[in-house]
Amino acid sequence: MWIGWRFGWDFKSDAMIWKRIGVRSIVTHAVALSFGFIGGVYFTQNREFVQSRALSSFQNRQKQLLNLMSTSIPQDSKSYFNPEHSHTTLHPDSSSVTLPNHSPEPTNAPLSRYSLSDAIDKAGPAVVNITVTSETNSSKSVFKSFGGNIGPYRVGPVPVSSGSGFIISSDGLLLTNAHVVISAQRSQGSIHVTLQDGRSYTAEILGLDQNSDIAMLQLNYDTPEIPLPKVELGDSSKLRTGEWVVALGSPLTLRNSATAGIVSATEREAYEIGMSGGSPAFIQTDAAITLGNSGGPLIDGISGKVIGINTMKAASSEGISFAVPINYALEVVQQLREYGTVRRPFLGCKLLTLHVALADQLRSSAFNFPKTMDWAPKNTDELGVLVHDVLKGSPIAKSGIEPGDIIVQVDGHRISNTNQFLAELGHKVETDVKVVVIRGKDSKRFEFCVRPSVRK
């Protein structure tokens, strides 16, 4: 109706000056007035019908949305979408729409705003701050007899290093980096461990390995009525690049700190970062690991399980940090418990990963290299481990393996690169290891028994 009356008013206004605009303009306005009046009456009479159609369309879209979400949710998940937490609820028996209830997000969602917080809460109580103190020369001087500090000289034990660690058993066994506590072993200093809840204990070194940078400590735990928290250990072999991780510890002595990031690489070789010897392949992450973080746990950002030990960062760089895989660390711990040291295998050979490009080059230039790749896995760049050189009289030479052989299996497990080979070899010494190789241009398959000796 309003539309019609609006046009009518314009018509009357223009009719007052009809002499200027002529008869045609008057007829035009009259037609517009008629259509506006008819449209206004129709809209008024059918308002309820239009609203009903709009509400019905909204209901249909709501049902389609619910059906779509219910069909796309995995069956093994309890609930990705809870109607109680929906922001709009439409009652089918009425045309009313309720406002959002602002209830919290479902806690069983696979990833929420609190996923990292929940993971930190699981592991955090078992993360400790480690301080190593030592007697200084001044504390042993004549000034000590005066019973206090004199001038610039400090009397008594002073901290010489600080780091982090985490408890792995309820009897007080904890892990950290060797470089965090090595000063206590060298200077006969004392180790003080502080838990997240404020409890403090002294600790003793049970075992230490500098090559892997792993140390095992035992808390002097004298209050069994108050249980110790402990972390849950994960499986670092299942890590994938891009997974969320959190580094826990005490950077710059700031206790109970957490930094988050992703796994940048799962097997960063020691030689790639200028290290050698018995160093393992590291987990690379962009989670900040700073001075004081060393020895703390690197945890899975979802489950809160420990998958590595924070060890170091790249010098003069940000976002490049490294952690020792927990699986390797546990092997070191087992060796330290059984033998008091880490016995590493010695084979006496040089090995390298056989990539497709190198295989193509050798196939065209080397006389005794396999001419076909039927034995190699499909759709992969890594074909096996090439024996590049063999030391005369070494364990691998005694087994019968020769330079040019391609190792494809160790103790029944298929391998494609040197990392997998070393992982399968582990710390097996003075025990037989079955190795399968491919040899010669006819790709003949041979099995040998290698008995690694203890590396000196």
mmCIF file of all heavy atoms in Angstrom, residues 308-343:
data_model
loop_
_atom_site.group_PDB
_atom_site.id
_atom_site.type_symbol
_atom_site.label_atom_id
_atom_site.label_comp_id
_atom_site.label_asym_id
_atom_site.label_seq_id
_atom_site.Cartn_x
_atom_site.Cartn_y
_atom_site.Cartn_z
ATOM 1 N N GLY A 308 60.706 -36.810 22.190
ATOM 2 C CA GLY A 308 62.097 -36.423 22.020
ATOM 3 C C GLY A 308 62.622 -35.681 23.238
ATOM 4 O O GLY A 308 61.866 -35.322 24.144
ATOM 5 N N ILE A 309 63.948 -35.471 23.262
ATOM 6 C CA ILE A 309 64.612 -34.712 24.325
ATOM 7 C C ILE A 309 65.235 -33.470 23.687
ATOM 8 O O ILE A 309 66.098 -33.583 22.813
ATOM 9 C CB ILE A 309 65.688 -35.550 25.033
ATOM 10 C CG1 ILE A 309 65.084 -36.824 25.611
ATOM 11 C CG2 ILE A 309 66.353 -34.741 26.130
ATOM 12 C CD1 ILE A 309 66.104 -37.727 26.286
ATOM 13 N N ASN A 310 64.790 -32.291 24.125
ATOM 14 C CA ASN A 310 65.338 -31.037 23.598
ATOM 15 C C ASN A 310 66.841 -30.997 23.806
ATOM 16 O O ASN A 310 67.319 -31.217 24.927
ATOM 17 C CB ASN A 310 64.690 -29.840 24.293
ATOM 18 C CG ASN A 310 63.178 -29.872 24.208
ATOM 19 O OD1 ASN A 310 62.609 -30.332 23.232
ATOM 20 N ND2 ASN A 310 62.520 -29.368 25.243
ATOM 21 N N THR A 311 67.584 -30.696 22.749
ATOM 22 C CA THR A 311 69.043 -30.791 22.852
ATOM 23 C C THR A 311 69.763 -29.513 22.455
ATOM 24 O O THR A 311 70.638 -29.040 23.169
ATOM 25 C CB THR A 311 69.561 -31.959 21.994
ATOM 26 O OG1 THR A 311 68.954 -33.170 22.463
ATOM 27 C CG2 THR A 311 71.060 -32.101 22.083
ATOM 28 N N MET A 312 69.410 -28.914 21.324
ATOM 29 C CA MET A 312 70.171 -27.756 20.854
ATOM 30 C C MET A 312 69.398 -27.008 19.776
ATOM 31 O O MET A 312 68.360 -27.471 19.282
ATOM 32 C CB MET A 312 71.519 -28.211 20.292
ATOM 33 C CG MET A 312 71.391 -29.172 19.144
ATOM 34 S SD MET A 312 72.985 -29.781 18.578
ATOM 35 C CE MET A 312 72.470 -31.057 17.430
ATOM 36 N N LYS A 313 69.928 -25.857 19.419
ATOM 37 C CA LYS A 313 69.401 -25.058 18.323
ATOM 38 C C LYS A 313 70.550 -24.676 17.399
ATOM 39 O O LYS A 313 71.724 -24.705 17.797
ATOM 40 C CB LYS A 313 68.716 -23.796 18.843
ATOM 41 C CG LYS A 313 69.629 -22.879 19.634
ATOM 42 C CD LYS A 313 68.976 -21.536 19.914
ATOM 43 C CE LYS A 313 68.904 -20.699 18.652
ATOM 44 N NZ LYS A 313 68.420 -19.332 18.911
ATOM 45 N N ALA A 314 70.208 -24.349 16.169
ATOM 46 C CA ALA A 314 71.229 -23.909 15.224
ATOM 47 C C ALA A 314 71.723 -22.524 15.628
ATOM 48 O O ALA A 314 70.935 -21.645 15.988
ATOM 49 C CB ALA A 314 70.656 -23.880 13.803
ATOM 50 N N ALA A 315 73.031 -22.319 15.587
ATOM 51 C CA ALA A 315 73.619 -21.049 16.002
ATOM 52 C C ALA A 315 73.184 -19.920 15.072
ATOM 53 O O ALA A 315 73.058 -20.102 13.857
ATOM 54 C CB ALA A 315 75.145 -21.159 16.029
ATOM 55 N N SER A 316 72.938 -18.754 15.669
ATOM 56 C CA SER A 316 72.581 -17.537 14.915
ATOM 57 C C SER A 316 71.383 -17.745 14.014
ATOM 58 O O SER A 316 71.355 -17.266 12.875
ATOM 59 C CB SER A 316 73.789 -17.055 14.089
ATOM 60 O OG SER A 316 74.913 -16.834 14.923
ATOM 61 N N SER A 317 70.399 -18.483 14.503
ATOM 62 C CA SER A 317 69.200 -18.712 13.693
ATOM 63 C C SER A 317 68.005 -18.881 14.612
ATOM 64 O O SER A 317 68.144 -19.189 15.786
ATOM 65 C CB SER A 317 69.356 -19.948 12.804
ATOM 66 O OG SER A 317 69.432 -21.111 13.602
ATOM 67 N N GLU A 318 66.836 -18.683 14.064
ATOM 68 C CA GLU A 318 65.599 -18.883 14.794
ATOM 69 C C GLU A 318 64.752 -19.906 14.035
ATOM 70 O O GLU A 318 64.738 -19.938 12.818
ATOM 71 C CB GLU A 318 64.825 -17.561 14.924
ATOM 72 C CG GLU A 318 65.559 -16.492 15.726
ATOM 73 C CD GLU A 318 65.784 -16.875 17.180
ATOM 74 O OE1 GLU A 318 64.996 -17.686 17.699
ATOM 75 O OE2 GLU A 318 66.741 -16.361 17.788
ATOM 76 N N GLY A 319 64.071 -20.733 14.782
ATOM 77 C CA GLY A 319 63.177 -21.697 14.150
ATOM 78 C C GLY A 319 63.847 -22.966 13.678
ATOM 79 O O GLY A 319 63.244 -23.745 12.944
ATOM 80 N N ILE A 320 65.095 -23.201 14.091
ATOM 81 C CA ILE A 320 65.786 -24.440 13.737
ATOM 82 C C ILE A 320 66.354 -25.036 15.012
ATOM 83 O O ILE A 320 67.417 -24.613 15.493
ATOM 84 C CB ILE A 320 66.910 -24.214 12.700
ATOM 85 C CG1 ILE A 320 66.369 -23.534 11.449
ATOM 86 C CG2 ILE A 320 67.574 -25.534 12.343
ATOM 87 C CD1 ILE A 320 67.422 -23.251 10.401
ATOM 88 N N SER A 321 65.647 -25.983 15.580
ATOM 89 C CA SER A 321 66.054 -26.632 16.821
ATOM 90 C C SER A 321 66.029 -28.144 16.638
ATOM 91 O O SER A 321 65.388 -28.650 15.703
ATOM 92 C CB SER A 321 65.132 -26.221 17.973
ATOM 93 O OG SER A 321 65.109 -24.813 18.139
ATOM 94 N N PHE A 322 66.704 -28.852 17.556
ATOM 95 C CA PHE A 322 66.856 -30.296 17.389
ATOM 96 C C PHE A 322 66.609 -31.014 18.718
ATOM 97 O O PHE A 322 66.902 -30.497 19.792
ATOM 98 C CB PHE A 322 68.254 -30.626 16.870
ATOM 99 C CG PHE A 322 68.597 -29.940 15.577
ATOM 100 C CD1 PHE A 322 69.305 -28.747 15.584
ATOM 101 C CD2 PHE A 322 68.182 -30.473 14.368
ATOM 102 C CE1 PHE A 322 69.603 -28.092 14.389
ATOM 103 C CE2 PHE A 322 68.477 -29.833 13.168
ATOM 104 C CZ PHE A 322 69.194 -28.646 13.188
ATOM 105 N N ALA A 323 66.070 -32.217 18.587
ATOM 106 C CA ALA A 323 65.789 -33.067 19.752
ATOM 107 C C ALA A 323 66.211 -34.496 19.448
ATOM 108 O O ALA A 323 66.107 -34.959 18.299
ATOM 109 C CB ALA A 323 64.305 -33.008 20.109
ATOM 110 N N VAL A 324 66.695 -35.198 20.473
ATOM 111 C CA VAL A 324 67.044 -36.613 20.340
ATOM 112 C C VAL A 324 65.754 -37.434 20.368
ATOM 113 O O VAL A 324 64.943 -37.277 21.286
ATOM 114 C CB VAL A 324 67.983 -37.061 21.474
ATOM 115 C CG1 VAL A 324 68.276 -38.550 21.359
ATOM 116 C CG2 VAL A 324 69.270 -36.255 21.454
ATOM 117 N N PRO A 325 65.505 -38.309 19.394
ATOM 118 C CA PRO A 325 64.289 -39.134 19.411
ATOM 119 C C PRO A 325 64.211 -39.976 20.666
ATOM 120 O O PRO A 325 65.217 -40.540 21.120
ATOM 121 C CB PRO A 325 64.440 -39.996 18.149
ATOM 122 C CG PRO A 325 65.381 -39.246 17.269
ATOM 123 C CD PRO A 325 66.319 -38.536 18.187
ATOM 124 N N ILE A 326 63.042 -40.088 21.245
ATOM 125 C CA ILE A 326 62.889 -40.811 22.506
ATOM 126 C C ILE A 326 63.195 -42.296 22.343
ATOM 127 O O ILE A 326 63.705 -42.940 23.274
ATOM 128 C CB ILE A 326 61.467 -40.592 23.089
ATOM 129 C CG1 ILE A 326 61.404 -41.077 24.545
ATOM 130 C CG2 ILE A 326 60.427 -41.275 22.233
ATOM 131 C CD1 ILE A 326 62.308 -40.333 25.484
ATOM 132 N N ASN A 327 62.908 -42.883 21.182
ATOM 133 C CA ASN A 327 63.218 -44.293 20.979
ATOM 134 C C ASN A 327 64.719 -44.550 21.096
ATOM 135 O O ASN A 327 65.156 -45.525 21.719
ATOM 136 C CB ASN A 327 62.723 -44.758 19.610
ATOM 137 C CG ASN A 327 61.212 -44.850 19.532
ATOM 138 O OD1 ASN A 327 60.509 -44.310 20.390
ATOM 139 N ND2 ASN A 327 60.702 -45.531 18.530
ATOM 140 N N TYR A 328 65.500 -43.671 20.509
ATOM 141 C CA TYR A 328 66.956 -43.810 20.605
ATOM 142 C C TYR A 328 67.417 -43.585 22.041
ATOM 143 O O TYR A 328 68.295 -44.288 22.543
ATOM 144 C CB TYR A 328 67.641 -42.823 19.662
ATOM 145 C CG TYR A 328 69.149 -42.913 19.667
ATOM 146 C CD1 TYR A 328 69.807 -43.833 18.864
ATOM 147 C CD2 TYR A 328 69.914 -42.092 20.491
ATOM 148 C CE1 TYR A 328 71.192 -43.933 18.871
ATOM 149 C CE2 TYR A 328 71.293 -42.181 20.507
ATOM 150 C CZ TYR A 328 71.926 -43.102 19.694
ATOM 151 O OH TYR A 328 73.291 -43.205 19.716
ATOM 152 N N ALA A 329 66.836 -42.604 22.710
ATOM 153 C CA ALA A 329 67.214 -42.308 24.093
ATOM 154 C C ALA A 329 66.960 -43.505 25.005
ATOM 155 O O ALA A 329 67.764 -43.799 25.901
ATOM 156 C CB ALA A 329 66.448 -41.090 24.592
ATOM 157 N N LEU A 330 65.867 -44.214 24.776
ATOM 158 C CA LEU A 330 65.554 -45.376 25.608
ATOM 159 C C LEU A 330 66.532 -46.515 25.362
ATOM 160 O O LEU A 330 66.847 -47.283 26.285
ATOM 161 C CB LEU A 330 64.120 -45.833 25.347
ATOM 162 C CG LEU A 330 63.026 -44.847 25.789
ATOM 163 C CD1 LEU A 330 61.649 -45.393 25.443
ATOM 164 C CD2 LEU A 330 63.125 -44.558 27.286
ATOM 165 N N GLU A 331 67.023 -46.645 24.139
ATOM 166 C CA GLU A 331 68.062 -47.642 23.875
ATOM 167 C C GLU A 331 69.332 -47.311 24.655
ATOM 168 O O GLU A 331 69.987 -48.208 25.204
ATOM 169 C CB GLU A 331 68.362 -47.696 22.374
ATOM 170 C CG GLU A 331 67.242 -48.277 21.526
ATOM 171 C CD GLU A 331 67.623 -48.324 20.056
ATOM 172 O OE1 GLU A 331 68.796 -48.036 19.746
ATOM 173 O OE2 GLU A 331 66.749 -48.640 19.229
ATOM 174 N N VAL A 332 69.676 -46.025 24.697
ATOM 175 C CA VAL A 332 70.847 -45.595 25.457
ATOM 176 C C VAL A 332 70.641 -45.875 26.946
ATOM 177 O O VAL A 332 71.555 -46.358 27.635
ATOM 178 C CB VAL A 332 71.123 -44.092 25.219
ATOM 179 C CG1 VAL A 332 72.221 -43.586 26.155
ATOM 180 C CG2 VAL A 332 71.521 -43.853 23.769
ATOM 181 N N VAL A 333 69.441 -45.586 27.451
ATOM 182 C CA VAL A 333 69.138 -45.834 28.859
ATOM 183 C C VAL A 333 69.288 -47.316 29.188
ATOM 184 O O VAL A 333 69.856 -47.688 30.229
ATOM 185 C CB VAL A 333 67.711 -45.341 29.197
ATOM 186 C CG1 VAL A 333 67.267 -45.855 30.567
ATOM 187 C CG2 VAL A 333 67.655 -43.822 29.161
ATOM 188 N N GLN A 334 68.806 -48.172 28.306
ATOM 189 C CA GLN A 334 68.925 -49.615 28.536
ATOM 190 C C GLN A 334 70.394 -50.036 28.595
ATOM 191 O O GLN A 334 70.792 -50.846 29.446
ATOM 192 C CB GLN A 334 68.196 -50.385 27.444
ATOM 193 C CG GLN A 334 68.201 -51.890 27.647
ATOM 194 C CD GLN A 334 67.435 -52.620 26.561
ATOM 195 O OE1 GLN A 334 66.896 -52.017 25.647
ATOM 196 N NE2 GLN A 334 67.401 -53.941 26.663
ATOM 197 N N GLN A 335 71.206 -49.482 27.709
ATOM 198 C CA GLN A 335 72.635 -49.788 27.717
ATOM 199 C C GLN A 335 73.306 -49.298 28.997
ATOM 200 O O GLN A 335 74.130 -50.008 29.595
ATOM 201 C CB GLN A 335 73.300 -49.142 26.500
ATOM 202 C CG GLN A 335 72.892 -49.734 25.169
ATOM 203 C CD GLN A 335 73.753 -50.916 24.796
ATOM 204 O OE1 GLN A 335 74.967 -50.898 24.947
ATOM 205 N NE2 GLN A 335 73.122 -51.968 24.310
ATOM 206 N N LEU A 336 72.950 -48.102 29.424
ATOM 207 C CA LEU A 336 73.536 -47.554 30.643
ATOM 208 C C LEU A 336 73.150 -48.386 31.857
ATOM 209 O O LEU A 336 73.966 -48.579 32.768
ATOM 210 C CB LEU A 336 73.090 -46.100 30.827
ATOM 211 C CG LEU A 336 73.647 -45.081 29.828
ATOM 212 C CD1 LEU A 336 73.005 -43.714 30.046
ATOM 213 C CD2 LEU A 336 75.165 -44.978 29.937
ATOM 214 N N ARG A 337 71.935 -48.890 31.876
ATOM 215 C CA ARG A 337 71.490 -49.710 33.007
ATOM 216 C C ARG A 337 72.208 -51.062 33.036
ATOM 217 O O ARG A 337 72.583 -51.559 34.107
ATOM 218 C CB ARG A 337 69.976 -49.917 32.916
ATOM 219 C CG ARG A 337 69.164 -48.764 33.455
ATOM 220 C CD ARG A 337 67.683 -49.049 33.339
ATOM 221 N NE ARG A 337 66.884 -48.177 34.183
ATOM 222 C CZ ARG A 337 65.562 -48.201 34.239
ATOM 223 N NH1 ARG A 337 64.888 -49.072 33.493
ATOM 224 N NH2 ARG A 337 64.914 -47.386 35.046
ATOM 225 N N GLU A 338 72.383 -51.657 31.878
ATOM 226 C CA GLU A 338 72.969 -53.000 31.826
ATOM 227 C C GLU A 338 74.490 -52.992 31.951
ATOM 228 O O GLU A 338 75.068 -53.853 32.625
ATOM 229 C CB GLU A 338 72.561 -53.694 30.520
ATOM 230 C CG GLU A 338 71.077 -54.038 30.443
ATOM 231 C CD GLU A 338 70.742 -54.788 29.169
ATOM 232 O OE1 GLU A 338 71.694 -55.202 28.469
ATOM 233 O OE2 GLU A 338 69.550 -54.956 28.880
ATOM 234 N N TYR A 339 75.136 -52.037 31.280
ATOM 235 C CA TYR A 339 76.595 -52.078 31.196
ATOM 236 C C TYR A 339 77.281 -50.868 31.827
ATOM 237 O O TYR A 339 78.513 -50.859 31.931
ATOM 238 C CB TYR A 339 77.027 -52.195 29.726
ATOM 239 C CG TYR A 339 76.341 -53.324 28.982
ATOM 240 C CD1 TYR A 339 75.362 -53.058 28.033
ATOM 241 C CD2 TYR A 339 76.682 -54.644 29.227
ATOM 242 C CE1 TYR A 339 74.735 -54.086 27.345
ATOM 243 C CE2 TYR A 339 76.058 -55.679 28.556
ATOM 244 C CZ TYR A 339 75.081 -55.387 27.619
ATOM 245 O OH TYR A 339 74.455 -56.419 26.945
ATOM 246 N N GLY A 340 76.500 -49.838 32.172
ATOM 247 C CA GLY A 340 77.113 -48.631 32.715
ATOM 248 C C GLY A 340 77.714 -47.739 31.660
ATOM 249 O O GLY A 340 78.216 -46.653 31.948
ATOM 250 N N THR A 341 77.680 -48.176 30.427
ATOM 251 C CA THR A 341 78.168 -47.413 29.282
ATOM 252 C C THR A 341 77.357 -47.835 28.067
ATOM 253 O O THR A 341 76.559 -48.766 28.129
ATOM 254 C CB THR A 341 79.666 -47.654 29.043
ATOM 255 O OG1 THR A 341 80.117 -46.802 27.994
ATOM 256 C CG2 THR A 341 79.924 -49.105 28.673
ATOM 257 N N VAL A 342 77.570 -47.173 26.936
ATOM 258 C CA VAL A 342 76.844 -47.508 25.712
ATOM 259 C C VAL A 342 77.777 -48.269 24.785
ATOM 260 O O VAL A 342 78.820 -47.756 24.369
ATOM 261 C CB VAL A 342 76.316 -46.231 25.012
ATOM 262 C CG1 VAL A 342 75.588 -46.592 23.724
ATOM 263 C CG2 VAL A 342 75.383 -45.466 25.937
ATOM 264 N N ARG A 343 77.417 -49.505 24.485
ATOM 265 C CA ARG A 343 78.201 -50.343 23.565
ATOM 266 C C ARG A 343 77.613 -50.205 22.170
ATOM 267 O O ARG A 343 76.501 -50.658 21.889
ATOM 268 C CB ARG A 343 78.171 -51.795 24.022
ATOM 269 C CG ARG A 343 78.640 -51.981 25.466
ATOM 270 C CD ARG A 343 78.994 -53.429 25.750
ATOM 271 N NE ARG A 343 77.942 -54.369 25.339
ATOM 272 C CZ ARG A 343 78.115 -55.691 25.276
ATOM 273 N NH1 ARG A 343 79.294 -56.221 25.559
ATOM 274 N NH2 ARG A 343 77.113 -56.476 24.921
#
